[in-house]
Amino acid sequence: MRKNNDFGLLILRITIGFLMLLHGISKLSGGLEFISGMLVQKGLPGFFAYGVLIGEILAPILIIIGFRTRIAALIYAFNCLVAVLMVHSQDIFKISDHGGWELELLGLYFFTSLALYFTGGGRYSASKTNNWD
């Protein structure tokens, strides 16, 4: 069987982009107040909560279509790191009740976005000629 790395990258892009996009869409319907309040509690400006929309809506859409995939993947990874530091820092070294890492979903998002940063979007992307593709 012939390898098709580009088709594999397309599947990877669609999968992590779609899954994170669902998180972003849920935040559009009132979830930003929670994030804004958490930021204010930690001494940061509440308007930083809008960064979530960039990391959970804009970046996933760019990843799905394959436009500037590498920069979108970096934004996505940064979004995951901020989520860990702001909400889940106490869970970094925990094992869940089912035996997995407590942060396995965020870990999958983070490390998959890093992989896309290093590989780019592949041949089946909206853009392929820029350094950030």
Side-chain angles (χ1 to χ4, degrees), residues 41-111:
Q41 268 185 341
K42 296 192 184 262
L44 297 168
F47 72 87
F48 281 6
Y50 290 100
V52 169
L53 300 179
I54 295 169
E56 294 186 11
I57 293 180
L58 180 62
I61 289 171
L62 293 175
I63 287 171
I64 289 168
I65 64 174
F67 185 78
R68 304 299 187 257
T69 304
R70 296 180 69 220
I71 188 77
L74 269 182
I75 293 168
Y76 191 108
F78 179 75
N79 186 69
C80 292
L81 281 177
V82 170
V84 167
L85 295 174
M86 294 294 294
V87 183
H88 303 286
S89 60
Q90 71 280 0
D91 299 329
I92 292 174
F93 298 108
K94 284 187 182 174
I95 301 295
S96 73
D97 294 337
H98 305 292
W101 183 31
E102 190 71 31
L103 299 179
E104 66 186 17
L105 184 59
L106 263 171
L108 282 169
Y109 288 156
F110 175 75
F111 289 110

Side-chain angles (χ1 to χ4, degrees), residues 33-47:
E33 287 80 24
F34 167 74
I35 295 167
S36 179
M38 191 178 354
L39 288 165
V40 169
Q41 268 185 341
K42 296 192 184 262
L44 297 168
F47 72 87

